[in-house]
Structures are given as structure tokens and as C-alpha cells.
Amino acid sequence: MNILVACSEIGSASALKQILIDKKINQFFFTGTELAKNFFKSCKDFKILPYNGEKELEAIYLGSTLGPSAERDIYLNDSLKGIKKIAVIDSYWNVSQRFTDENSGVKWAYVPNKIFIPNHILEKKLINEGFYGEIEIFKSESFTNANELKKDKDEIRKKYNVKDGQRVFIFISEYSQKIPSSWEIEVDQFNYEEIHYSISMFLEHVNYLNSLEDNVVPFIKWHPTLLDKQNLKKKLPSINCLETISKDELFSLGDVFFGLNSMLFLEATRKGFPAVSLMSDKMMKKNNLSNYVDEIISTNKIEFRL
């Protein structure tokens, strides 16, 4: 079976991993970014083959993102027309925008035959926004419950210099795609100013708790691209930063998780961790995870205790 995978972003790659495993596809050609390629290479389930365009393909599995990308190149490639294209949407925002021509604003300028989505909420949204193709819910990664991770906590916390009796709060930061002013699409995402506003609220909240002798240790988990860190609007105080850490270690380390729209933040809620989104009133009016996930506490306050 000759399958091509085209993927640019880590969120799409993570979702495609689950779909490919479920479909028992363990060997495929790949085109896309080095970040996505390295993600698939790190998965022992897969054998990645270089794509030179010579093989006749049975299907193409695609990530989805805004604007020019490896996925867009597939839709524009005349030699690939007629081959079934199966896309994935890994999150709740920028649904039709991923398939919109950013220069003309025309919706569904690039249309896959089928779209995999994480749940039925997006199915209704896709249909309302004009998609008439096949829709399927993909199986989420099986999650280890927070209680099952406790056995590793002491060892992991010692590694990150966390003392007995301290609570660990982790902010899951995220990537914000840079949007040219010429684009004719309305983008549904938080910008870096808003992300960093939430980080500032997080640090203020930790300071408030520590003033009450709660003994909280804050960490920030940066996005794998590190673009959120590089685009900081103001200097952060000395703080524990996590650039590379496995999921098992991350969830063994943390007690409470904070964030906005990151899928890693969503995963924390699925594992049973307390999850908080700190936002301004203006930010709360935007599309965000707390609109879909009841377990996420959304607040514009910093003076509270869980």
C-alpha cells in the first residue's frame, strides 16, 4: 500500500499518528517540515520513506494549517488530482480557515475527500461551515490517569529540584501563527500578546498563593517550536522553563495545569488534572477550550485557591 503523509505541524502529526496506527498503516512516504518528520521518526511504529513522486499512491493523509504549507502543495499538485485526500483537524479553532484561500478569502478552495476530527462538536461546525465530504471521529491517544502517574512523582520531582511538600503548577504555552495583513481570512486564535498576558496572570496567581504560604513551584512548558518563547512581549522573572520533556515526565511532575488552547493542556484535563485558563474579559469572548471542556476552570481572577 503506497501512502503519502503530508504534514507541517506537530499537532496534526500527533493526531495523524493515532489515525495511521488505527488504520494499521506503519510504512509511508512523507513530505513536510523537519519538526513533523522527526516526530514520526521518533515513533517506533513507523517506517518513513522519502517521497520522490515516482510511486503511484493509493491515498494521501494530510495535516491541516493556515496558508502555504506542505499540505497546500498537495492540493495544488495537478499530478495528485484524483487521489483520495484524507485530512485531520486536531483542534477546535480555524476549522474552515485551514482550507480557505487566504488571498481571495474563498472557503473550501482546497477540499479533502474526508476529514478526521477529535469529536462530534466539530462535526456540526464543519457541516455548518459548508463541508460536504466524509467526516470521521478519530480515536484519541489512550491516556494514563493522573493517579497512575504518582508512582513516578518522587523520582521525577527530584530530577527537577522540587522539594517535598511543594506543589507544581505548569503553564502549557502555545504557538500563534503569524498572519500577514494581506490575508483575507478571519483567524480564530490567541496572539502572543494574549498568550503572554495569560502567563503573567499565572505568575501573579502563583505569587498570591505563595504569599499565603502555599509553597507552589511554577514551570512554563514552551511549544516545541519555541516561537512562543522567542516572541515574548516582556522579560519573565527567573522561572523554571521546560523546552523538551516527555509527556510522562510532564504529567508526573505537575499537580495543576494552566493554559489556553494547547492540545497538551487538553490532554492534562483528560488525565484528570485540575486545569485553569486565566484570561482577560476580552480573551474570554474568543473561541477557547473552556467553551468545549467543562472540566477547565476559566477565570479573570488571580486570587483564588483550588
Side-chain angles (χ1 to χ4, degrees), residues 4 13 37 102 187 212 227 244 282:
L4 173 64
K37 184 178 182 179
E102 69 279 2
V187 177
L212 303 177
L227 287 171
T244 56
K282 183 179 179 182

Side-chain angles (χ1 to χ4, degrees), residues 144-170 217 219 242 245-257 268 271-274:
T144 306
N145 187 277
N147 292 326
E148 296 176 30
L149 293 165
K150 287 182 178 178
K151 61 184 179 183
D152 300 319
K153 272 192 180 293
D154 291 343
E155 184 180 338
I156 298 301
R157 289 181 177 223
K158 190 178 294 184
K159 177 179 176 180
Y160 290 94
N161 301 314
V162 177
K163 299 181 176 68
D164 288 343
Q166 290 182 316
R167 287 200 298 165
V168 175
F169 284 18
I170 300 177
V217 181
F219 285 79
L242 304 167
I245 182 173
S246 71
K247 286 185 182 181
D248 283 347
E249 282 200 1
L250 181 73
F251 293 124
S252 292
L253 177 64
D255 292 304
V256 183
F257 287 83
K271 288 181 179 292
F273 288 100

Side-chain angles (χ1 to χ4, degrees), residues 193-208:
E193 186 173 341
E194 291 166 324
I195 294 166
H196 299 144
Y197 180 86
S198 188
I199 291 175
S200 295
M201 288 186 72
F202 165 70
L203 297 175
E204 289 177 37
H205 174 59
V206 169
N207 288 338
Y208 165 73

Side-chain angles (χ1 to χ4, degrees), residues 104 145 286:
S104 65
N145 187 277
K286 283 193 169 186

Side-chain angles (χ1 to χ4, degrees), residues 12-260:
S12 289
S14 182
L16 281 169
K17 171 190 170 184
Q18 298 306 312
I19 295 164
L20 294 169
I21 290 173
D22 187 51
K23 300 298 180 185
K24 296 181 170 52
I25 298 170
N26 54 22
Q27 177 175 295
F28 50 85
F29 299 102
F30 178 83
T31 181
T33 62
E34 283 299 310
L35 183 68
K37 184 178 182 179
N38 290 335
F39 172 83
F40 285 117
K41 278 187 171 181
S42 71
C43 303
K44 64 180 185 301
D45 308 275
F46 301 135
K47 180 179 179 181
I48 315 299
L49 305 171
Y51 181 63
N52 54 21
E54 294 178 358
K55 297 285 185 179
E56 187 173 334
L57 300 171
E58 294 179 40
I60 305 172
Y61 286 78
L62 304 107
S64 57
T65 187
L66 301 177
S69 62
E71 293 92 330
R72 174 70 58 81
D73 291 343
I74 297 296
Y75 292 112
L76 293 173
N77 190 330
D78 288 339
S79 68
L80 299 176
K81 286 184 177 176
I83 300 172
K84 187 172 185 178
K85 297 174 181 65
I86 303 160
V88 63
I89 296 177
D90 61 290
S91 60
Y92 297 83
W93 31 94
N94 291 325
V95 174
S96 62
Q97 291 95 322
R98 299 162 187 255
F99 308 98
T100 296
D101 185 278
E102 69 279 2
N103 296 311
S104 65
V106 174
K107 272 188 177 184
W108 305 110
Y110 313 100
V111 189
N113 304 95
K114 179 176 182 176
I115 298 180
F116 277 95
I117 54 175
N119 60 39
H120 288 289
I121 296 172
L122 278 182
E123 182 176 16
K124 184 176 180 181
K125 193 168 185 178
L126 267 176
I127 293 169
N128 288 342
E129 294 191 14
F131 180 67
Y132 296 103
E134 189 179 351
I135 300 172
E136 184 175 334
I137 312 296
F138 68 84
K139 293 179 182 178
S140 298
E141 184 177 359
S142 58
F143 297 118
T144 306
N145 187 277
N147 292 326
E148 296 176 30
L149 293 165
K150 287 182 178 178
K151 61 184 179 183
D152 300 319
K153 272 192 180 293
D154 291 343
E155 184 180 338
I156 298 301
R157 289 181 177 223
K158 190 178 294 184
K159 177 179 176 180
Y160 290 94
N161 301 314
V162 177
K163 299 181 176 68
D164 288 343
Q166 290 182 316
R167 287 200 298 165
V168 175
F169 284 18
I170 300 177
F171 187 97
I172 306 294
S173 188
E174 60 195 65
Y175 164 77
S176 181
Q177 186 167 345
K178 187 175 181 181
I179 306 300
S181 58
S182 60
W183 281 17
E184 294 294 329
I185 55 175
E186 187 175 342
V187 177
D188 185 19
Q189 67 180 17
F190 287 113
N191 58 41
Y192 284 124
E193 186 173 341
E194 291 166 324
I195 294 166
H196 299 144
Y197 180 86
S198 188
I199 291 175
S200 295
M201 288 186 72
F202 165 70
L203 297 175
E204 289 177 37
H205 174 59
V206 169
N207 288 338
Y208 165 73
L209 292 178
N210 285 337
S211 73
L212 303 177
E213 300 183 351
D214 266 23
N215 208 6
V216 173
V217 181
F219 285 79
I220 296 177
K221 168 63 180 77
W222 297 114
H223 188 270
T225 63
L226 297 182
L227 287 171
D228 45 352
K229 181 181 180 182
Q230 295 165 15
N231 283 278
L232 275 171
K233 300 302 177 186
K234 62 180 182 180
K235 188 176 180 180
L236 290 175
S238 179
I239 190 172
N240 301 300
C241 292
L242 304 167
E243 293 187 1
T244 56
I245 182 173
S246 71
K247 286 185 182 181
D248 283 347
E249 282 200 1
L250 181 73
F251 293 124
S252 292
L253 177 64
D255 292 304
V256 183
F257 287 83
F258 293 74
L260 293 169

